[in-house]
Amino acid sequence: MHIQILTVGKLKERYLVDGIAEYVKRLGPYAKVQMIEVPDEKAPENMSPAEEQQVRVKEGERLLAKLGADVYVVALAIDGEMWTSEQLAGSLDKLATYGRSQVAFVIGGSLGLSSELLRRADMRLSFGRMTLPHQLMRLVLVEQIYRAMRINRGEPYHK
């Protein structure tokens, strides 16, 4: 399986960079994982809704440009479906079984994902109704992908 994790902005916090690198290394025997960052737009605190929309559109265009036509796209969105780790594992297993072995998980910037990108997505996945920093979400996501791979192989992993 080939998994892309597309994100907006550069990850700067060392502890997050180290944590993500550890899980990507652990995923090596299960999948090829590629982290792709696109530049974020400046988003001052006092933006109008129209300005916020423009930021999402520009960031969305950058993300869409990185997606191949045959990639199964999972948009991380607060209004998406909430799954258990076992459901994520089952979904990844089904995708691989039915020839959809190229999967891209997309994490938006601080203002979320553009409507264009959400339309391109094959599904929306939520990790809960609470807002998480998009940088932290990268670590949570890669850990859950690792957990899913272990579940699919029937291998033990801490609960």
Side-chain angles (χ1 to χ4, degrees):
M1 181 162 259
H2 180 93
I3 298 172
Q4 294 177 315
I5 299 175
L6 280 75
T7 61
V8 172
K10 184 135 183 77
L11 191 59
K12 298 173 189 92
E13 292 81 2
R14 186 85 230 149
Y15 70 97
L16 293 173
V17 171
D18 291 345
I20 291 167
E22 176 63 25
Y23 281 108
V24 169
K25 181 177 84 172
R26 291 183 188 188
L27 275 162
Y30 306 99
K32 180 181 177 195
V33 179
Q34 182 181 19
M35 304 293 286
I36 300 171
E37 295 176 337
V38 301
D40 57 347
E41 285 291 309
K42 300 287 184 226
E45 289 295 320
N46 299 327
M47 295 178 71
S48 71
E51 290 170 321
E52 289 181 358
Q53 174 66 10
Q54 283 293 69
V55 167
R56 282 191 295 273
V57 166
K58 288 178 183 176
E59 291 173 348
E61 288 170 351
R62 292 179 189 135
L63 291 165
L64 286 165
K66 300 291 183 183
L67 293 170
D70 58 342
V71 174
Y72 186 90
V73 177
V74 179
L76 273 62
I78 202 162
D79 65 345
E81 295 179 45
M82 286 192 285
W83 286 353
T84 64
S85 297
E86 291 79 11
Q87 286 173 303
L88 176 61
S91 178
L92 291 174
D93 191 47
K94 283 181 190 171
L95 286 169
T97 300
Y98 293 106
R100 301 295 304 265
S101 60
Q102 292 193 39
V103 179
F105 291 88
V106 184
I107 302 171
S110 59
L111 298 175
L113 294 168
S114 69
S115 55
E116 293 82 7
L117 195 134
L118 291 171
R119 278 194 296 278
R120 166 63 177 89
D122 294 288
M123 75 154 303
R124 295 182 194 185
L125 180 63
S126 173
F127 279 70
R129 298 297 179 230
M130 289 187 208
T131 302
L132 295 173
H134 57 281
Q135 295 93 350
L136 178 59
M137 194 62 238
R138 297 179 198 194
L139 178 59
V140 173
L141 174 62
V142 76
E143 186 279 334
Q144 283 298 304
I145 293 169
Y146 174 68
R147 184 180 296 268
M149 296 298 176
R150 300 282 297 197
I151 289 168
N152 286 340
R153 294 246 182 117
E155 297 173 353
Y157 187 61
H158 66 275
K159 297 183 182 193

